Amino acid sequence: MKSIEVLASVTDFLSRPARLFIGGAWQEAASGRSFAVENPATENPLAEVAQGAAADVDAAVAAARAAFEGPWRQVSPARRGQLLLALADLLEQHVEELAQLITLENGKPIANARGEAASAVNILRYFAGWPTKIEGSTLPVSPASGVPMLNYTLREPVGVCALIVPWNFPLTMCVWKLGPVLATGCTAVLKPAEQTPLVAVRLVQLIEAAGFPPGVVNLITGLGAETGAPLAQHADVDKIAFTGSTQVGRLIAQAATGNMKKVSLELGGKSPNIILPDADIVRAAKGAADGIFYNQGQVCTAGSRLYVHASVLDQVLEELQRHAAAHVLGPGLDPSSSMGPLVSARQLETVSGYLQRGLEQGAELICGGARPEHLQRGHFIEPSVFYDRAERACVAREEIFGPVLTVMSWSDIDELVLRANDSPYGLAAGLWTRDLRSAHRVAAQLKAGSVWINCWNVVDPASPFGGYKQSGWGREMGKNVIDAYTETKSVFVDLG
Ligand code: ADP
């Protein structure tokens, strides 16, 4: 099949240098510098983007502060909800354009990019319902003095939020964080990943068009160390919300201590997926393949460790090979491609390094493991499956962030749970079974923020998402995220 036609609006957007958005104005970086964004399927440059630095971060934080203390505070909860709905409508009208931008800069198949854009619309609609429902409580206090007291709590926006997001879901990662920012009445400085800033620029154009007051959302594009680090350190930022690697998350948590910012972190994972002997094996193997190969494996919740009961191991390995072989690798704009390139040359190098070390460390390669011969350009890698009897190779223990599955077998359920939990991460886990009792018993024992039973990667704006252990701090989505973007004030009134 042939690639879809790129919309004229996308071509036009790409032809203009993308700028920073500070206090309601689009502007060059103070340094005048810019950087090129690459199409990972062709390795050709796509567009030029302003390269922010500390001076731009200062200006963006000042604009966010002014909006927070000024006009945004006067906007009623109902109006905030309307603005969020207006933004959702605008995104819905531009789903195809946003999807094409996602595919062009990230590489993922266009159908997946359309799914991502559609999910951003849903998330915004979910958060549009919140502003009018953020409430405190009245509490039955018992003062020692015997003087009657009224005590109530208020939930107030935490303030200026720095949002640092990664490249794997370049639109939804922005919206996951902007949704609660806008619902609670906070303001934001958004810092997209340097690999995928374009869809964020387009999103912020739509935020401007939706009618949010200037300074409520500011955008700084640039490199991690030059823009992310000064944001994380900034003394006038009240909260930082980060999604990315555990390594950078650690730096951000340290930088945040300067002014004791509130911090929420969504970090890495090495999520265990468990197949019990009574599972529907065909469905479980398909779920396991999708759980690792979706988005080229570049998902923090990728089901990268698969524990298969010994009695069904051969059958599962066969099914996995079949699913891997069925993938069509190619540019994301070609609708017949079911797997696109990795996001960058660096990511390809990381994944290739793991494939090589996995073999050196004794893991058995079941399929994949190489770059596809028919694709001369682009950061493509085959979907790959290892079997690691000893469970000691790096591919069984470390986050790869690529389409690489490592299979282990098990026979004792109690020992299996210990093995599944034997990881510094605790983002997600899954199990496949028809037995209700095993399902709930094992789900209760897994140390993970999300547990999927007979499914994988189900995420919903109403349901909390986040990690145990080194997979993060706090939860996004649902009521939990509203708490994370608000402070609680306790007010006492002497009624004596
Ligand atoms: P990856 O290694 O997959 O690129 P990162 O965790 O490095 O993922 O990147 C996620 C986000 O964090 C990006 O927006 C990136 O620019 C930003 N970032 C990288 N380094 C830093 C840093 N030292 N401080 C703050 N942000 C950073």
Side-chain angles (χ1 to χ4, degrees):
M1 246 208 253
K2 272 200 13 238
S3 287
I4 58 165
E5 204 162 312
V6 174
L7 294 172
S9 55
V10 170
T11 314
D12 182 57
F13 173 83
L14 294 173
S15 69
R16 300 163 200 269
R19 288 175 293 171
L20 312 177
F21 190 61
I22 300 176
W26 292 96
Q27 50 194 265
E28 303 290 331
S31 67
R33 287 194 299 164
S34 64
F35 65 101
V37 177
E38 180 204 73
N39 178 340
T42 62
E43 301 176 46
N44 293 329
L46 260 180
E48 278 291 316
V49 179
Q51 187 170 340
D56 307 296
V57 168
D58 285 344
V61 172
R65 172 62 58 196
F68 180 70
E69 304 296 350
W72 190 224
R73 225 158 232 237
Q74 317 310 323
V75 174
S76 71
R79 179 73 189 135
R80 289 207 304 274
Q82 286 165 358
L83 286 165
L84 273 158
L85 286 176
L87 177 59
D89 289 349
L90 274 174
L91 256 69
E92 193 167 50
Q93 289 156 25
H94 294 86
V95 159
E96 181 61 20
E97 193 182 326
L98 294 163
Q100 292 191 5
L101 283 172
I102 292 171
T103 292
L104 283 166
E105 62 181 346
N106 167 281
K108 68 181 66 182
I110 187 68
N112 295 156
R114 288 176 182 140
E116 181 176 346
S119 106
V121 175
N122 282 339
I123 291 163
L124 288 169
R125 292 205 172 121
Y126 170 82
F127 282 107
W130 264 110
T132 50
K133 293 158 198 80
I134 300 170
E135 55 189 25
S137 39
T138 54
L139 298 157
V141 291
S142 309
S145 63
V147 176
M149 290 270 172
L150 168 66
N151 176 243
Y152 62 93
T153 58
L154 296 171
R155 296 221 60 122
E156 298 179 345
V158 72
V160 174
C161 301
L163 313 177
I164 302 184
V165 299
W167 43 260
N168 58 340
F169 293 94
L171 178 60
T172 46
M173 287 298 102
C174 297
V175 166
W176 277 34
K177 292 176 172 48
L178 284 169
V181 159
L182 299 171
T184 53
C186 292
T187 59
V189 178
L190 173 66
K191 206 312 259 167
E194 49 271 44
Q195 297 86 347
T196 57
L198 297 171
V199 75
V201 173
R202 190 68 191 104
L203 169 67
V204 172
Q205 289 177 349
L206 297 176
I207 288 173
E208 183 187 18
F212 286 91
V216 171
V217 176
N218 305 275
L219 173 73
I220 300 284
T221 48
L223 311 182
E226 274 178 29
T227 52
L231 252 182
Q233 281 157 15
H234 205 288
D236 205 26
V237 168
D238 300 299
K239 173 182 168 68
I240 186 151
F242 170 77
T243 298
S245 61
T246 295
Q247 198 186 350
V248 173
R250 201 167 275 125
L251 292 176
I252 284 180
Q254 282 159 1
T257 58
N259 67 332
M260 298 306 276
K261 289 177 188 66
K262 310 290 178 266
V263 180
S264 45
L265 303 171
E266 296 293 350
L267 308 175
K270 188 73 185 175
S271 298
N273 199 355
I274 299 163
I275 300 184
L276 276 75
D278 68 281
D280 174 340
I281 299 302
V282 170
R283 191 173 150 201
K286 168 88 168 70
D290 291 346
I292 183 68
F293 297 143
Y294 171 61
N295 214 39
Q296 296 66 245
Q298 302 166 130
V299 186
C300 49
T301 52
S304 50
R305 287 188 286 154
L306 181 65
Y307 292 96
V308 183
H309 191 268
S311 64
V312 291
L313 179 65
D314 290 345
Q315 192 189 348
V316 171
L317 286 177
E318 221 167 89
E319 290 282 320
L320 289 170
Q321 283 181 73
R322 198 166 61 75
H323 290 299
H327 267 292
V328 178
L329 268 74
L333 286 184
D334 180 340
S336 63
S337 306
S338 63
M339 197 178 262
L342 299 179
V343 73
S344 63
R346 199 186 90 189
Q347 198 60 21
L348 177 61
E349 198 182 300
T350 304
V351 174
S352 305
Y354 271 110
L355 289 168
Q356 195 185 331
R357 285 201 304 285
L359 284 173
E360 287 163 8
Q361 293 172 6
E364 182 189 339
L365 188 66
I366 304 294
C367 63
R371 303 195 55 189
E373 278 167 17
H374 67 288
L375 294 162
Q376 302 305 315
R377 290 183 71 77
H379 311 303
F380 293 93
I381 190 90
E382 291 172 344
S384 308
V385 179
F386 281 107
Y387 174 65
D388 187 13
R389 188 182 301 277
E391 202 177 336
R392 255 186 245 123
C394 56
V395 290
R397 312 206 66 91
E398 294 172 28
E399 180 174 52
I400 299 173
F401 228 65
V404 182
L405 178 65
T406 304
V407 181
M408 275 77 63
S409 66
W410 63 276
S411 43
D412 177 84
I413 189 84
D414 294 323
E415 188 218 4
L416 163 77
V417 168
L418 292 175
R419 287 163 64 192
N421 285 335
D422 180 17
S423 166
Y425 297 113
L427 192 57
L431 58 140
W432 301 80
T433 178
R434 290 182 173 111
D435 177 34
L436 262 183
R437 190 169 155 273
S438 312
H440 293 293
R441 280 174 69 122
V442 176
Q445 292 176 80
L446 290 168
K447 294 192 172 126
S450 293
V451 175
W452 289 303
I453 300 173
N454 295 328
C455 56
W456 194 271
N457 263 339
V458 184
V459 177
D460 189 287
S463 182
F465 177 92
Y468 283 34
K469 299 191 264 181
Q470 293 181 34
S471 288
W473 287 352
R475 295 291 179 270
E476 297 196 285
M477 308 295 206
K479 184 175 184 319
N480 300 62
V481 79
I482 299 298
D483 292 347
Y485 284 82
T486 49
E487 293 277 20
T488 305
K489 179 181 282 174
S490 170
V491 181
F492 283 92
V493 186
D494 184 329
L495 300 178

